Amino acid sequence: MAEINKGENAVAIENMVRKVLEQIAVGGNAPATSGLSGFTGANGENGIFTDMEEAIAAAHKAQQEYALYPMRRRDDFIEAIRDMVRRPDILRKLSEDAVAETGMGNVDDKMQKNKLVADKTPGTEDLITDAFSGDDGLSIVELSPYGVIGAITPTTNPTETVLCNSIGMLAAGNSVVFSPHPRAKNVSVFLVSELNKALAALDAPPNLIVTVAEPSIKSTEAMMNHKLVRMLVATGGPEIVRTVMSTGKKAIGAGAGNPPVVVDETAIIEKAAMDIIAGCSFDNNLPCIAEKEVFAVEHIADYLIFNMKKFGAYQVTDENDLERLKKLVLNDKGHAETSCIGKSAQYLLGKIGVKADPSVKAVIIDCGFDHPFVQEELMMPILPIVRVSDVDSAIDLAVKAEHGFRHTAIMHSQNVSNLTNMAKRSQTTIFVKNGPSFAGIGVGGEGYTTFTIAGPTGEGLTSARSFARRRRCVLVDGFNIR
Ligand code: NAD
């Protein structure tokens, strides 16, 4: 627990009482400190603070201590985090609470995602030292901590992002202050407090991972502008990415995507259909990498749709139903309606009066390129399919629909030239060939995982090395043994 003297303690208690009274006065919900998170502790207990300033000061103190720890202790702490997440009770609670609080996604897929992070997020092994040796001696370049990192996390993968950021940032020797999305605050606060308990059991410096009980735009702004926060990492939509990049601090921006899928006439259509529906319906389409629209060469389009239906797609064809679906899932500004994001296909169909079998995993529609479902990042298991005359037109339209995010694209084809052409044209951070989108983050595909995929700032799939500074150390005239 953070050391706080009596004066500070009294102020903290006074602040908490004032907050409770304010909430009662406006008839609001119970404060976060007694919400789903179950956080009822004192200010600073298990890394949860009432005030952002105090949270940052505590994380700064922790990092200064942590910087003196040997690497093997970092490994121990990261292993403790992995073990904590893998506990069946914790894994289930994190996943259930995230769905309950945000109203998005489904528990089974969230359990898989959290477990994936525990298993496949790189630790200290990711920090590779470079060496130069010659007549003048030996120089090494080592990956060192920034200090305190401020991390802003989304509603769509709230616990997954806190977990993968914590592992990577601690592996690189930093401490981290989280600013979770206010709509995911309780589950995030719960997770941060569990992380603190796991670290405390190994006598780690207290407050390596902290947050505030009531995250808000104001507290995020305070964090972004604080002089002790040396690096910012934003996982979210375009606005927050733009904001962190304009702070003047080192920033990593992991922003929006609108991943297109191209299916050409050489693809193995049955497998393409299966992969596309699996990727598009995973956690009700919440992952930023999930398939969002399909461009199918006319020649195989009917057969692709036929197979998609075999793998759990429901095609909406009735004009009135299509209109109702549009009204349901788009808001006044024509963007994704928040209350529909991450909802199941069955829920969405039910809302427009279509009773679907429980096996239905995704809604498909046959439409033109200009349809808003093609252009907007919906984050719902709704997949528009656009027919195109040939593969080159499919690639052209796919690149346009991706809107220059350079995030993720998927292609199903057996033609190497077509695959290469799409990879070069799209310039996406992740390009998956002949698999579901989640193969790109290590599920059924090679490589490590992350839920912070930094296209705009270029780190790509972030890992410990993304959260480290390169520092050179030079020994003159020594240790060259060649
Ligand atoms: P969001 O942009 O609404 O929120 C993300 C975070 O930014 C939240 O913590 C939010 O509170 C904060 N935020 C947003 N605007 C802010 C402002 N003006 N000032 C201070 N804080 C602000 O995103 P979301 O709905 O939670 O997540 C979905 C979006 O994030 C999608 O666009 C998705 O593609 C993207 N995303 C990207 C990645 C990636 O790795 N590239 C991962 C997950 C989500």
Side-chain angles (χ1 to χ4, degrees):
M1 212 212 292
E3 274 181 33
I4 34 181
N5 66 36
K6 275 197 176 141
E8 284 169 334
N9 219 349
V11 172
I13 291 167
E14 201 183 303
N15 281 341
M16 282 177 75
V17 170
R18 187 169 37 77
K19 271 198 171 167
V20 171
L21 290 175
E22 274 169 14
Q23 294 250 1
I24 292 168
V26 295
N29 296 328
T33 47
S34 63
L36 185 71
S37 67
F39 176 71
T40 53
N43 184 27
E45 187 171 341
N46 293 325
I48 315 301
F49 290 79
T50 47
D51 179 67
M52 182 55 89
E53 178 76 37
E54 289 177 60
I56 295 169
H60 178 65
K61 182 166 179 274
Q63 200 276 330
Q64 290 199 314
E65 209 182 309
Y66 187 45
L68 305 175
Y69 276 51
M71 294 296 283
R72 67 176 169 278
R73 293 287 283 148
R74 293 191 200 176
D75 291 336
D76 294 342
F77 300 154
I78 286 159
E79 215 38 53
I81 293 176
R82 297 189 203 279
D83 288 346
M84 183 274 285
V85 182
R86 289 180 190 131
R87 270 173 43 198
D89 58 329
I90 293 284
L91 198 57
R92 179 155 288 280
K93 181 167 171 58
L94 289 178
S95 310
E96 284 179 352
D97 287 3
V99 173
E101 186 177 9
T102 63
M104 298 175 182
N106 71 68
V107 174
D108 287 349
D109 290 348
K110 285 208 187 288
M111 285 178 70
Q112 266 202 59
K113 286 162 69 182
N114 284 310
K115 171 89 169 36
L116 171 72
V117 172
D119 292 344
K120 292 190 87 172
T121 303
T124 58
E125 73 284 2
D126 195 49
L127 305 167
I128 294 166
T129 300
D130 286 333
F132 307 89
S133 73
D135 295 341
D136 292 332
L138 173 73
S139 296
I140 56 168
V141 177
E142 298 233 279
L143 295 176
S144 303
Y146 273 88
V148 180
I149 299 182
I152 300 155
T153 54
T155 43
T156 46
N157 317 308
T159 56
E160 303 86 329
T161 312
V162 167
L163 285 170
C164 75
N165 284 183
S166 294
I167 292 174
M169 291 169 186
L170 261 60
N174 305 285
S175 62
V176 50
V177 182
F178 281 107
S179 228
H181 196 293
R183 283 202 307 276
K185 70 180 176 192
N186 293 327
V187 72
S188 308
V189 163
F190 168 75
L191 174 54
V192 168
S193 61
E194 289 303 309
L195 287 165
N196 275 274
K197 286 183 207 163
L199 294 176
L202 293 185
D203 286 329
N207 300 314
L208 283 174
I209 303 171
V210 298
T211 190
V212 288
E214 290 289 341
S216 63
I217 292 209
K218 220 169 140 212
S219 65
T220 305
E221 279 169 358
M223 182 194 79
M224 290 189 291
N225 295 320
H226 201 288
K227 66 176 187 314
L228 289 178
V229 175
R230 296 297 200 121
M231 175 190 229
L232 293 169
V233 178
T235 309
E239 190 184 326
I240 191 61
V241 169
R242 242 190 328 269
T243 307
V244 295
M245 286 171 75
S246 55
T247 56
K249 293 185 193 229
K250 168 72 183 176
I252 292 183
N258 194 33
V261 188
V262 166
V263 186
D264 77 8
E265 65 281 11
T266 70
I268 300 168
I269 303 299
E270 297 82 354
K271 178 165 186 308
M274 182 179 74
D275 289 348
I276 293 168
I277 297 302
C280 155
S281 59
F282 187 53
D283 205 17
N284 296 343
N285 200 262
L286 286 178
C288 50
I289 56 162
E291 290 81 348
K292 299 281 190 290
E293 64 277 339
V294 176
F295 298 92
V297 170
E298 177 68 57
H299 182 63
I300 50 87
D302 285 336
Y303 190 53
L304 180 71
I305 290 172
F306 169 79
N307 278 284
M308 282 177 164
K309 289 182 192 168
K310 275 206 315 206
F311 291 110
Y314 181 97
Q315 187 177 11
V316 177
T317 50
D318 181 86
E319 281 305 321
N320 293 326
D321 287 345
L322 285 169
E323 224 20 65
R324 273 195 283 272
L325 193 60
K326 224 155 87 173
K327 278 216 176 83
L328 174 73
V329 306
L330 298 175
N331 63 22
D332 297 346
K333 292 184 179 143
H335 303 310
E337 163 56 42
T338 308
S339 61
C340 291
I341 293 177
K343 290 289 193 284
S344 69
Q346 246 198 318
Y347 172 93
L348 297 169
L349 287 169
K351 283 276 175 194
I352 59 161
V354 175
K355 205 171 163 349
D357 189 83
S359 62
V360 168
K361 293 197 283 186
V363 177
I364 53 172
I365 69 162
D366 198 334
C367 65
F369 176 74
D370 293 327
H371 196 284
F373 292 0
V374 174
Q375 301 300 325
E376 287 295 317
E377 185 197 26
L378 289 184
M379 295 182 285
M380 304 166 203
I382 295 181
L383 199 61
I385 299 161
V386 180
R387 293 166 187 263
V388 282
S389 55
D390 55 75
V391 66
D392 292 333
S393 325
I395 294 172
D396 280 349
L397 293 183
V399 171
K400 274 194 195 135
E402 217 267 324
H403 303 309
F405 292 134
R406 304 199 293 183
H407 193 299
T408 298
I410 302 108
M411 186 168 187
H412 294 269
S413 171
Q414 296 297 308
N415 181 311
V416 175
S417 306
N418 290 348
L419 289 164
T420 308
N421 189 20
M422 168 107 176
K424 283 195 174 180
R425 293 281 315 283
S426 62
Q427 286 292 314
T428 47
T429 304
I430 298 179
F431 182 60
V432 178
K433 302 169 187 172
N434 299 322
S437 54
F438 46 69
I441 53 166
V443 184
E446 290 298 328
Y448 62 89
T449 203
T450 179
F451 280 84
T452 296
I453 297 152
T457 47
E459 290 77 8
L461 287 92
T462 56
S463 58
R465 72 181 70 173
S466 318
F467 311 123
R469 299 164 57 222
R470 294 175 65 78
R471 294 172 56 225
R472 181 185 285 199
C473 186
V474 180
L475 177 66
V476 177
D477 288 344
F479 274 104
N480 168 23
I481 57 167
R482 284 182 295 187

